[in-house]
Amino acid sequence: MAILGDKNESRGDAPVVAGHDQSNSWSFTPTTGWDLTRTTNPSTTSSSSSRITLETTTTPITIDPSKSALVIIDMQNFFLSSALGNAKGEGHAAEAALLTSAIPAATQAGIQVIHITWGISDDELAVLPPILDRIFGFDIDAAKPNANDRERKMPRGIGHPMGTVTLADGAQVDAGRLLMRDQWNTELSDALLQDFEASQNSTKPHVRFHKNRISGLWAGGSTPFREYLKENGITTLLFSGVNTDQCVLGTLQDASNQGFDAVLLRDGCGTTSPGFASEAVGFNCRRIWGFVSSCGALVEG
């Protein structure tokens, strides 16, 4: 194999290696794309089930399901439930794509499904940085013509009681404290909660981790999510969830910077931001953070 930068790297279809540590490297050929499985000799793998190939917006990638995880970020009532005023949008389309395509495909391939969700404890609340109070406690709109109206304190913020809300069937429920752990507003959306609970009787149950920052892999400490990935030898992360340009992006960037393979499933993500925000995420993801694929590609892989 040639090494990137080697004068022989472009000869024919000989694999080119990216990475200086043989145990943590990729290989590339123009016809097969990038191999992310970290196997020094792909021909020695025990079966085709240990390698699947996904189409991306640039070149195919081959991954090892046993070293991969489908990461679903913030698909919670707070962001999706109509009871909290969330209109049908990209997040709901992403939820449907996950339930009908990505999750079944991941399960069939043996890829671990991981939910990362807001769920702040009281101890964590006491030391949260002020930016989070601004994000979730202020109405921010730079487009307003009056400068005095561009940032306004809202009646509640993180940790404040949200009160009673009325569900689609007319039932009423206490929404709980905003973004705090074990509250209705931080529970998975109904459909994903049912899917999560059903998985607990399977051979590879879905797992869930709480986060207390925009990123689920922020570098300020060793998160349970990061420790789980390391302990289970997971190196490739397929990202989905809401919002594409916020918590999904924040976690994806940190994952890439920490050495994980980052793959964005574009139809498994959604946002309430303007379209250019997702376009920028996709543009930079395929160029500098990793790859852009889709739930459909996972089904076909």
Side-chain angles (χ1 to χ4, degrees):
M1 288 187 181
I3 305 296
L4 283 179
D6 189 295
K7 64 181 180 180
N8 297 316
E9 68 179 59
S10 61
R11 289 184 179 176
D13 206 32
V16 177
V17 175
H20 299 277
D21 178 354
Q22 190 174 19
S23 66
N24 184 31
S25 60
W26 300 346
S27 64
F28 173 82
T29 73
T31 55
T32 61
W34 286 101
D35 185 329
L36 314 185
T37 62
R38 292 168 173 77
T39 51
T40 55
N41 185 2
S43 64
T44 63
T45 52
S46 58
S47 69
S48 60
S49 63
S50 62
R51 297 165 59 84
I52 62 174
T53 298
L54 305 180
E55 292 297 326
T56 77
T57 56
T58 50
T59 187
I61 57 173
T62 299
I63 66 174
D64 182 341
S66 69
K67 300 176 184 177
S68 304
L70 171 61
V71 180
I72 305 173
I73 297 176
D74 291 352
M75 299 296 270
Q76 301 167 272
N77 287 327
F78 183 81
F79 299 102
L80 296 175
S81 176
S82 61
L84 293 176
N86 295 300
K88 289 289 185 181
E90 291 183 13
H92 300 89
E95 178 187 43
L98 288 168
L99 287 165
T100 60
S101 299
I103 293 176
T107 300
Q108 183 176 3
I111 294 172
Q112 180 66 59
V113 177
I114 303 175
H115 287 273
I116 307 297
T117 56
W118 284 99
I120 300 168
S121 69
D122 281 303
D123 287 342
E124 293 167 344
L125 179 64
V127 294
L128 285 184
I131 184 59
L132 291 177
D133 276 335
R134 178 175 181 254
I135 293 170
F136 293 103
F138 281 73
D139 177 25
I140 304 170
D141 187 352
K144 290 183 177 178
N146 187 340
N148 293 331
D149 292 334
R150 291 173 187 165
E151 297 208 21
R152 290 283 186 177
K153 180 71 177 74
M154 293 190 290
R156 58 176 180 255
I158 294 177
H160 290 204
M162 299 183 68
T164 300
V165 297
T166 302
L167 305 182
D169 62 2
Q172 293 190 321
V173 63
D174 180 2
R177 297 166 64 199
L178 195 148
L179 293 187
M180 299 297 286
R181 195 168 300 182
D182 301 324
Q183 309 291 297
W184 178 86
N185 76 94
T186 50
E187 187 54 271
L188 294 174
S189 69
D190 287 345
L192 284 169
L193 178 60
Q194 292 176 18
D195 180 75
F196 179 87
E197 291 176 340
S199 79
Q200 301 309 298
N201 297 319
S202 68
T203 56
K204 184 168 282 193
H206 301 178
V207 295
R208 181 182 179 187
F209 295 98
H210 299 296
K211 67 183 178 72
N212 55 34
R213 296 293 193 278
I214 294 297
S215 168
L217 281 170
W218 70 289
S222 181
T223 66
F225 175 36
R226 182 192 293 113
E227 293 305 311
Y228 176 87
L229 297 176
K230 293 294 187 181
E231 290 171 4
N232 288 275
I234 295 174
T235 54
T236 301
L237 305 180
L238 311 176
F239 284 97
S240 62
V242 295
N243 281 294
T244 311
D245 53 318
Q246 297 166 21
C247 293
V248 176
L249 172 59
T251 310
L252 184 149
Q253 285 180 301
D254 279 345
S256 180
N257 288 332
Q258 292 174 34
F260 295 99
D261 311 333
V263 183
L264 182 73
L265 301 183
R266 62 181 183 274
D267 55 343
C269 300
T271 185
T272 56
S273 300
F276 63 77
S278 292
E279 291 177 10
V281 172
F283 177 83
N284 285 297
C285 185
R286 69 176 180 262
R287 290 177 63 87
I288 62 174
W289 298 317
F291 304 90
V292 178
S293 188
S294 66
C295 297
L298 185 57
V299 172
E300 296 170 2

